[in-house]
Amino acid sequence: MSGLPDITIGPFKRAQGSIVLPGSKSISNRALLLAALSSGTTTLKNLLDADDTQVMRNALRQLGLSVIDKENKVCVVEGCGGQFPVREADLFMGNAGTAIRPLTAALAMQGGNYRLSGVARMHERPIRDLVDGLRQVGAKIEYELQEGYPPIEISAADIQIKDVVKVRGDVSSQFLTALLMALPLVANEPVRIEVIGELISRPYIDITLKLMARFGVIVACPDMQSFVIPAKISDSVYKSPGQLSVEGDASSASYFLALGAIGGGPVKVLGVGKDSIQGDVAFADALALMGAKINAGEDWIEVVGVKNANGKLNGITIDCTEIPDAAMTLAVAALFAEGPTRLNSIASWRVKETDRIAAMAKELKKIGAIVEEGADYIVVQAPASPSDWKSPSEGIDTYDDHRMAMCFSLAAFGPNALKINDPNCVAKTFPTYFAEFAKVVS
């Protein structure tokens, strides 16, 4: 599929089969950085092999670390004990938010000089809240072009934590994740971080805390807005667990779970289940609210059609604070629901790989859906009748956003074939998506 300008799929009637999920992007990039910062060698299994995780791997190699990719999605990382060997580097971070943000914080603790840049869209994605948090402890970080956005330049600085570190939590949870992962390196005394305002995407913080604990740093949470990092007892703060197996990606699971509802199923995803540490497993609960029949085990979830008498999903109103990425899948699943579906608390969509609220609204309207969008919500209603479904000759635009391409594959279960532009953008997190999709649809 590589390099194809577009792909035409559907119309499909049935989805059934099983899929082994690629590794979680969120877990993979956190685990790579923690393994790099720890003492000892870490073998990472089922590590996601996609653009965003290759960005992190390449950055770590530039910083002087041994990061060796082996067969069967295994990666071996030699830790540096908290001090990167290279003290000066110019790092290209693509459009990987899960790479640039935690790495910025870790680099600010190093006493070196670093520059981080990315693709044009990365230079439109905010980083101010993280930089403000880091400046509170003495980090020297300057914006190269536009205030509040990459590219950024980090200069050697004397890091001293004299007070509570405060960070906003309402734009992206990745800023808090970055501080949580980096500040243990300089915690001569216990460090308290307080979140100002609402903390969105709390499940992603839980991933961070659980992975930090695997590497030997246990953060206390005295209340919902506060985090206390323990004082370090040696310069080598993080300790390798030896091996760590990466769960399947729960966000990627959402497309196949939705297929199981829309296409009758059964569709089973393997690699993520009831024991998952990822918040996006709650997508299955949202799908159940819409009437899908869900079964789940420790590391699998299966969807077998819908239980509603009319055979359709039903529209819902739902707060998506906890599942911002998987919520996009609900927006397209709404094409197959009776009544409107309203997704609330999705302001973070505006600052992702593209403005996802605007993009989703525009592309759904091309198909014939009735859509209303607001600053932090979207309401989607199916086309009024089969004849109102459209197959736009110009195709569905994907905005170099992997999730737009994967979400809109579901719309090929409407009455028409559908052209999706730039399908290869899925390489960001799931390079084989359309091949796996083809295996379960007919």
Side-chain angles (χ1 to χ4, degrees), residues 186-219:
V186 293
N188 295 319
E189 303 286 338
V191 178
R192 187 180 182 94
I193 303 174
E194 288 185 0
V195 177
I196 303 164
E198 181 188 14
L199 174 56
I200 62 169
S201 311
R202 172 74 195 218
Y204 285 101
I205 300 303
D206 293 337
I207 292 174
T208 302
L209 298 177
K210 285 171 181 171
L211 287 174
M212 288 173 66
R214 288 290 304 275
F215 285 86
V217 174
I218 297 172
V219 178

Side-chain angles (χ1 to χ4, degrees), residues 203-248:
Y204 285 101
I205 300 303
D206 293 337
I207 292 174
T208 302
L209 298 177
K210 285 171 181 171
L211 287 174
M212 288 173 66
R214 288 290 304 275
F215 285 86
V217 174
I218 297 172
V219 178
C221 304
D223 57 60
M224 290 297 287
Q225 302 291 110
S226 304
F227 302 84
V228 180
I229 294 165
K232 64 179 186 174
I233 49 179
S234 72
D235 283 340
S236 186
V237 176
Y238 289 112
K239 309 286 190 294
S240 170
Q243 289 191 359
L244 190 144
S245 189
V246 176
E247 284 182 14

Side-chain angles (χ1 to χ4, degrees), residues 348-387:
S348 65
W349 283 20
R350 299 278 188 196
V351 294
K352 296 284 189 175
E353 282 79 347
T354 187
D355 178 340
R356 287 174 168 171
I357 295 180
M360 186 62 77
K362 183 177 179 182
E363 303 309 310
L364 284 168
K365 286 174 184 175
K366 282 186 186 177
I367 294 173
I370 302 154
V371 185
E372 176 193 339
E373 67 165 290
D376 67 345
Y377 73 90
I378 192 167
V379 183
V380 182
Q381 196 157 358
S385 70
S387 62

